[in-house]
């Protein structure tokens, strides 16, 4: 995944996240438009304009029927799965977080990401039962095979700029991959 900070507010190229694992897992996925609206938890807190941009650079290897994209200034991801098989999005500790498949969208209540992703700024502290090693507790979010979620791997979370930006604020910087 790549996060780029542009040299001027609202300007600069768009470069973005990748790092996907398919088959049983998908990490940091971004999707394309869908006829039906995707399930959306936490869609109301979109950030103000930012110097940071992220976008999809691809899915590797390509998976026919799987589309992904960054939305809401890169603070949300949209995944649409028309592959006919479940795709799993991993949480921050590598645990199952979301499953998107023919039966719809399911969220693991025992994934810390379920709680951390509630808002752009980081959400609620996960309960003690939510650990990367807990047995998944799946909750159905939608019957549609599409989902929007905050993913803090796709946007800059700290109130202060990254060190490279502080050192040279007028230049274009790759913040993360």
């Amino acid at each position: 995944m790549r996060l780029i900070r542009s040299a001027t507010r609202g300007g600069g190229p768009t470069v973005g996240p990748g790092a996907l694992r398919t088959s049983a897992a998908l990490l940091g996925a971004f999707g394309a438009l869908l006829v039906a609206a995707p399930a959306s938890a936490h869609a109301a807190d979109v950030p103000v304009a930012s110097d940071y941009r992220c976008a999809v650079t691809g899915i590797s290897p390509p998976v026919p029927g799987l589309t992904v994209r960054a939305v809401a200034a890169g603070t949300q991801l949209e995944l649409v799965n028309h592959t006919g098989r479940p795709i799993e999005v991993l949480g921050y500790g590598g645990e199952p977080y979301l499953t998107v498949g023919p039966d719809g969208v399911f969220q693991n209540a025992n994934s810390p990401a379920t709680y951390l992703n509630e808002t752009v700024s980081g959400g609620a502290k996960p309960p003690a039962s939510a650990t990367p090693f807990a047995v998944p507790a799946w909750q159905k979010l939608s019957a549609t095979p599409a989902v929007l979620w905050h993913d803090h791997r796709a946007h800059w979370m700290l109130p202060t700029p990254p060190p490279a930006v502080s050192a040279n604020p007028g230049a274009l910087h790759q913040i993360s991959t």
Side-chain angles (χ1 to χ4, degrees), residues 7-92:
T8 59
R9 183 170 302 278
T14 301
V15 181
L20 300 172
R21 286 177 46 191
T22 57
S23 298
L26 174 70
L27 176 62
F30 318 99
L33 293 173
L34 177 68
V35 175
S40 179
H42 337 297
D45 60 332
V46 177
V48 296
S50 167
D51 288 348
Y52 300 93
R53 302 287 176 259
C54 80
V56 176
T57 57
I59 298 173
S60 180
V63 178
L66 179 65
T67 55
V68 293
R69 71 177 180 149
V71 297
T75 63
Q76 288 188 327
L77 307 179
E78 181 184 62
L79 179 143
V80 180
N81 180 11
H82 291 296
T83 66
R85 65 179 188 204
I87 297 291
E88 191 169 78
V89 177
L90 300 178
Y92 304 113

Side-chain angles (χ1 to χ4, degrees), residues 88-116:
E88 191 169 78
V89 177
L90 300 178
Y92 304 113
E95 78 283 0
Y97 164 48
L98 297 169
T99 297
V100 183
D103 294 333
V105 178
F106 295 83
Q107 180 174 277
N108 177 7
N110 285 336
S111 168
T114 294
Y115 306 92
L116 298 172

